[in-house]
Amino acid sequence: MFIELTDHLRCPSTHDERFLVLLPDRMEGRSVRSGQLGCPVCGRVFHLADGVFDAGDAPPSGGEATALTGGALAALIGLHGPGGYLVVAGAPAALSEEIAELFPGVGLVAVNPPAGVADGDLVSVLRAGMLPLKSRSMRGVVLGAPFGGDPHWVGEAARVVLPGLRIVGEGGDPADDEVEVMASASGVWVATPRR
């Protein structure tokens, strides 16, 4: 996991949003390979192994496929310039290397990726039942199936993306109470969070 990403992590417990404190055991360059993350509010401790932050309650990987390509994802998410982080949840995280080439200088955060997607130089891997990220801190969120059709995950994406930036989802169109849908076709939608 990129050490800089720890500034954007939050405790998944239901108390007020708080940062997590990193206690690294092993580092490789700017990557934390093992250690612990602790919440100063509730005292929960989360383990980091092989660079993967596991916040608990991650849904099982169902082997879903994605209809998105790296080029399509790049066009739909609409990012320009380096810096910040792009979250990719589910099956589209298998495109991490291709996405990294299309967005040089943007950190990739793979949440609940398919088997075979490992933490490395191009991507940080998180496993969780929610997005354990600070509100309004990400430059974009991509929700593969089944996350793009789940109101909980759409709400999480709307919470973590910066105002005015985009969420791309695979699944049925989301309810408009959390997001404003800009476009939708063939089971893929693009939206911005409502504020």
Side-chain angles (χ1 to χ4, degrees):
M1 179 175 65
F2 308 128
I3 192 166
E4 293 85 357
L5 181 61
T6 60
D7 291 339
H8 299 283
L9 297 177
R10 63 159 288 187
C11 180
S13 294
T14 56
H15 53 67
D16 287 344
E17 189 170 297
R18 293 290 186 259
F19 60 89
L20 293 173
V21 177
L22 172 67
L23 299 169
D25 290 331
R26 187 168 64 89
M27 302 264 313
E28 291 177 5
R30 304 291 300 160
S31 179
V32 182
R33 302 306 303 153
S34 65
Q36 297 178 348
L37 292 150
C39 177
V41 175
C42 67
R44 284 183 71 183
V45 176
F46 306 94
H47 296 280
L48 197 71
D50 297 322
V52 177
F53 169 45
D54 189 341
D57 299 324
S61 178
E64 290 85 2
T66 182
L68 296 169
T69 64
L73 190 147
L76 295 172
I77 205 69
L79 290 183
H80 302 286
Y85 295 93
L86 171 63
V87 176
V88 183
L95 305 170
S96 293
E97 289 184 22
E98 184 180 353
I99 296 167
E101 289 177 11
L102 295 169
F103 296 115
V106 175
L108 295 182
V109 182
V111 178
N112 303 328
V117 176
D119 184 84
D121 293 339
L122 302 177
V123 62
S124 292
V125 175
L126 310 179
R127 298 201 184 283
M130 52 88 74
L131 294 176
L133 300 161
K134 290 182 181 176
S135 297
R136 299 183 180 134
S137 64
M138 300 290 113
R139 290 188 64 197
V141 178
V142 178
L143 298 173
F147 305 112
D150 184 332
H152 165 73
W153 286 92
V154 173
E156 282 292 291
R159 180 184 61 78
V160 304
V161 76
L162 286 160
L165 296 184
R166 295 181 187 172
I167 303 163
V168 174
E170 290 185 284
D173 288 359
D176 62 0
D177 55 336
E178 297 277 350
V179 296
E180 183 175 343
V181 176
M182 300 166 58
S184 175
S186 302
V188 177
W189 51 265
V190 180
T192 55
R194 288 195 182 276
R195 297 287 181 218

